[in-house]
Amino acid sequence: MNLMSPRTLGRLAVDTVRAPRPTFARLRALELDLSTLWQALLLVVVLSIVLAELVNMYLLATIGTDAQPTLLLSPFFFGVIQLAFLLISVFMIHRIGRAFRGTGDLADAMLAVTWLQFVMVCLQVVQGVLLILMPPLAGIVMLLGLALFFWLLTNFVAELHDFHSLGRVFGMILFVLVGVALGLSFLLTLAGVTIPR
């Protein structure tokens, strides 16, 4: 299978939405090395930034300078933050899963995060097209994308660590997210950072 073929990638993305666990199992069977996974992770980050910048350009051209930009930071810093977030996600999926007696390894955790991000980039393309053709639907796709993100993440983690209960995996993900959010809030408070109103 030529994984780099756009047709193959597109078919795999559709298969992922239809059947997340079996499709992720097929990707794991490819046994991609860490070097390849690093390149893939960097590529999806770049694609995400390029798409966001294109949306910014379109909004500024059609709505004007008062339009709310998609990226509040420069593309470079946004990319650094996104990459850092994805790497932290890889580490947490691997370590927390193993703490609960999961069987997945670090490379497969990186595969899960990279492929999930790729599917989200595909959804980002759909949202961008709808923003041009049917703007009201773009917001609906964003909400559906959030639900899809958690659904795919839950299935990927379950398949990665050979967990059987999707409900427990989803609960664990929410617990970790709440813990991380509270931790960041505490650190920001200590640093004297306040959220503007």
Side-chain angles (χ1 to χ4, degrees), residues 8 30 38 45 60 73 79 116-117 121 125 127 129 134 154 159 167 171 183 193:
T8 300
L30 296 175
W38 266 107
V45 169
L60 291 174
L73 302 174
L116 177 59
Q117 182 66 15
V121 166
V125 172
Q127 187 179 5
V129 172
M134 293 177 286
T154 299
E159 180 63 28
V193 177

Side-chain angles (χ1 to χ4, degrees), residues 9 40-54 82 117-118 121-122 124-125:
L9 290 172
L41 183 63
L42 292 173
L43 179 60
V44 293
V45 169
V46 171
L47 288 175
S48 178
I49 295 171
V50 169
L51 288 172
E53 278 293 287
L54 289 175
Q82 187 176 26
Q117 182 66 15
F118 174 76
V121 166
C122 293
Q124 196 176 350
V125 172

Side-chain angles (χ1 to χ4, degrees), residues 12-34:
L12 282 172
V14 173
D15 289 345
T16 299
V17 176
R18 292 175 177 172
R21 291 191 70 160
T23 306
F24 183 61
R26 287 165 55 193
L27 291 171
R28 290 182 71 188
L30 296 175
E31 298 183 349
L32 300 175
D33 57 80
L34 278 174

Side-chain angles (χ1 to χ4, degrees), residues 69-136:
T70 302
L71 295 182
L72 298 178
L73 302 174
S74 71
F76 174 77
F77 284 109
F78 181 81
V80 170
I81 291 174
Q82 187 176 26
L83 181 60
F85 174 78
L86 293 177
L87 291 177
I88 291 172
S89 299
V90 170
F91 177 79
M92 294 182 69
I93 288 173
H94 173 60
R95 297 304 302 171
I96 295 176
R98 293 302 290 263
F100 283 89
R101 299 183 179 180
T103 58
D105 59 22
L106 184 62
D108 286 337
M110 182 172 286
L111 172 64
V113 170
T114 302
W115 185 248
L116 177 59
Q117 182 66 15
F118 174 76
V119 175
M120 291 299 102
V121 166
C122 293
L123 190 66
Q124 196 176 350
V125 172
V126 174
Q127 187 179 5
V129 172
L130 289 177
L131 185 64
I132 298 173
L133 301 179
M134 293 177 286

